Amino acid sequence: MRKLIIFCQIYICAFSIGLAQDGEKQESRSVTIIQAGTLMAVAGEKPLKEQSIVIEDGKIIDVLPSYLSTYEDAGVKLIDLKDKFVMAGLMDMHVHLAMAGGPGKDSGDVALAGVKNAYKTLMIGFTTVRDLGATDDTIFKLRKDINSGDIIGPRILAAGQIIGVGGRSDGKECNGVESCRKTTRDMISHGADWIKIYASCSGGLLCSNKDGPSVFFDDEIGAIMDVARKYKIKVAAHTHPRDSALQVLKYGVSSIEHGSYINDEAMEIMIREGVYYVPTVSVMDLLEDVVAKGENPPEMLAHDQAFLDNNPGNIFKAYKKGVKIATGTDAGVVPHGKNYREVERFVELGMTNADALKAGTINSAELIDMSDRLGTIEKGKIADIIAVIGNPLEQIKDIENVTFVMKEGRIYKGTKD
Ligand SMILES: [Zn+2]
């Protein structure tokens, strides 16, 4: 016992060591209790007042009414969030943490950007992200080092490099059935949690307009989907024009990214098949700025204006019809560290505050098949918990005021561990 005490004085002890009645050493339990003034345990349900969340080994083991300061025989670390609005960690389903292309940029720049962007994202309360396109394999290394605790950032599900028809410096090529099959297999063997495909032109090109073409042949999409299904990996499709969305939906993708011009037929397929819509409406911030400055050629400005005129109404239409919507900012194209803009934009286009918060928690967890572990504050879930000043159910901008961040039971912001 004496040796143990000396050991504890030198190093940080993970457990409190006590003496049992018979003099033998005993490792007692250690829990964290969060006293939450307002708790939105499940977005969409009425928040509760004066609740206690009990956390042990990174998991929520109890949510109880009233403020507790003890729990069974466990040692307790108490966190006072009595004056805060407490909710599940937010999730962004479309980011590019490690994408730093451009003149003069190398792999070192990509890595550094990834580390900085990951930190920024977690500190504003986004505890999980789906990364849909990186310059190289850095994103997989970042995911690994965040998982091990060496780097601070959100939980990452990564697609790695995007699969396209070629001609992009940051993409993987799919040209013909064999090539598409090989590329998809390569991405999965490199560690991709998702496959991301460019099914249409980028939004910054004229060919991404409403009537623009799909870029893959049917058999190419078919080959990608066959491989993904074989390895039980889901596919997210970047698409703007109407027809490219219809094409990828026919082959069974799991999420439509941007989907600027999805029509009624596409929305009905999405509802029927449970396909998620990640409209990346935050990009409107950027487009509004571009149009206001008026520096683009007239043809391009008209194209951008058409996006601005179409998107809010079309996204709202999909929402009202019952298409499942998840938050995804396209951070990397828009600045990192402002991921809350997507939730705010949802409310601006007509979603209720509760549904916007649901898109950023419950819906996102469902999209990545982690509903059993993430998205709500309930017994048995992973302890990803944030607190904000104010009440985002009343005023959505309060979602910017994140003062406390816990991921998997560890505190990254607010009261330190
Ligand atoms: Zn993107």
Side-chain angles (χ1 to χ4, degrees):
M1 189 63 207
R2 190 179 156 75
K3 273 187 187 165
L4 270 167
I5 291 167
I6 292 165
F7 183 80
C8 283
Q9 285 167 346
I10 297 170
Y11 300 101
I12 298 164
C13 275
F15 305 98
S16 23
I17 310 293
L19 279 177
Q21 279 188 337
D22 61 1
E24 291 295 307
K25 85 172 168 70
Q26 188 186 50
E27 289 172 356
S28 65
R29 293 169 67 195
S30 172
V31 302
T32 300
I33 297 179
I34 294 176
Q35 299 175 325
T38 304
L39 173 65
M40 186 182 73
V42 179
E45 292 181 10
K46 197 174 178 307
L48 302 165
K49 294 285 180 193
E50 298 188 6
Q51 301 287 301
S52 291
I53 310 162
V54 186
I55 297 134
E56 185 175 27
D57 295 332
K59 280 196 170 168
I60 297 162
I61 58 164
D62 241 332
V63 181
L64 296 162
S66 82
Y67 293 140
L68 304 182
S69 52
T70 59
Y71 188 78
E72 297 176 355
D73 61 345
V76 169
K77 176 185 170 66
L78 209 54
I79 296 172
D80 180 351
L81 298 174
K82 289 180 193 149
D83 59 349
K84 301 290 186 314
F85 182 98
V86 178
M87 58 178 282
L90 287 159
M91 304 166 86
D92 189 327
M93 294 294 102
H94 191 129
V95 298
H96 303 279
L97 292 176
M99 191 175 72
K105 302 281 187 190
D106 61 18
S107 56
D109 295 307
V110 174
L112 282 174
V115 171
K116 287 188 274 191
N117 295 334
Y119 182 84
K120 275 187 202 169
T121 307
L122 183 65
M123 288 304 134
I124 56 158
F126 283 75
T127 48
T128 303
V129 299
R130 187 178 57 149
D131 192 285
L132 288 187
T135 308
D136 53 28
D137 282 354
T138 300
I139 191 68
F140 300 135
K141 294 172 185 168
L142 192 60
R143 179 184 63 189
K144 178 170 161 282
D145 283 355
I146 288 173
N147 286 342
S148 69
D150 288 343
I151 288 176
I152 294 175
R155 180 179 300 101
I156 297 175
L157 285 97
Q161 286 172 274
I162 301 168
I163 299 176
V165 293
R168 291 184 62 100
S169 58
D170 59 349
K172 285 278 183 185
E173 191 158 324
C174 159
N175 264 318
V177 169
E178 286 309 311
S179 151
C180 299
R181 187 180 279 174
K182 181 180 183 318
T183 297
T184 310
R185 261 206 189 108
D186 284 351
M187 289 315 303
I188 295 170
S189 62
H190 273 78
D193 300 303
W194 275 75
I195 290 295
K196 162 77 178 297
I197 60 171
Y198 267 122
S200 80
C201 293
S202 137
L205 298 174
L206 287 173
C207 51
S208 67
N209 68 26
K210 183 180 178 184
D211 300 316
S214 50
V215 297
F216 289 110
F217 288 104
D218 277 1
D219 59 359
E220 292 172 329
I221 292 275
I224 292 170
M225 296 305 301
D226 280 350
V227 176
R229 258 187 224 106
K230 188 173 177 59
Y231 292 91
K232 297 190 169 53
I233 297 282
K234 290 183 165 185
V235 177
H238 158 112
T239 156
H240 289 288
R242 174 195 61 237
D243 291 347
S244 64
L246 286 169
Q247 183 196 38
V248 294
L249 285 168
K250 190 167 82 181
Y251 282 89
V253 297
S254 294
S255 69
I256 293 287
E257 310 299 314
H258 319 301
S260 308
Y261 295 106
I262 54 169
N263 62 6
D264 286 331
E265 187 185 352
M267 289 178 196
E268 275 146 29
I269 298 170
M270 291 168 81
I271 293 165
R272 195 174 66 233
E273 307 291 335
V275 177
Y276 259 94
Y277 185 21
V278 184
T280 64
V281 65
S282 306
V283 177
M284 305 261 298
D285 284 354
L286 185 76
L287 274 182
E288 282 172 358
D289 201 41
V290 166
V291 170
K293 283 184 182 148
E295 288 164 357
N296 272 353
E299 197 182 13
M300 199 62 217
L301 281 176
H303 168 81
D304 294 341
Q305 189 60 54
F307 265 70
L308 292 174
D309 293 343
N310 168 78
N311 282 15
N314 211 38
I315 297 163
F316 185 69
K317 185 178 177 186
Y319 163 66
K320 290 309 271 184
K321 267 180 174 282
V323 176
K324 292 177 178 184
I325 295 178
T327 47
T329 51
D330 217 353
V333 173
V334 295
H336 293 276
K338 291 189 171 177
N339 310 60
Y340 47 76
R341 284 296 297 144
E342 191 70 9
V343 179
E344 293 173 353
R345 277 284 188 182
F346 281 160
V347 172
E348 284 166 27
L349 64 82
M351 229 186 240
T352 64
N353 293 26
D355 280 347
L357 295 170
K358 197 173 163 189
T361 53
I362 295 172
N363 293 8
S364 294
E366 186 182 270
L367 166 58
I368 53 171
D369 292 326
M370 292 186 81
S371 295
D372 57 334
R373 285 158 284 167
L374 298 174
T376 62
I377 297 183
E378 292 173 297
K379 196 172 171 173
K381 296 272 174 97
I382 294 171
D384 282 10
I385 298 167
I386 64 168
V388 305
I389 299 171
N391 185 339
L393 286 171
E394 289 165 7
Q395 184 172 294
I396 200 64
K397 262 187 127 30
D398 288 345
I399 202 68
E400 296 180 18
N401 309 322
V402 172
T403 59
F404 173 86
V405 177
M406 172 183 275
K407 189 187 81 175
E408 220 158 328
R410 186 174 161 197
I411 300 162
Y412 290 89
K413 186 178 189 178
T415 318
K416 292 275 181 261
D417 258 346

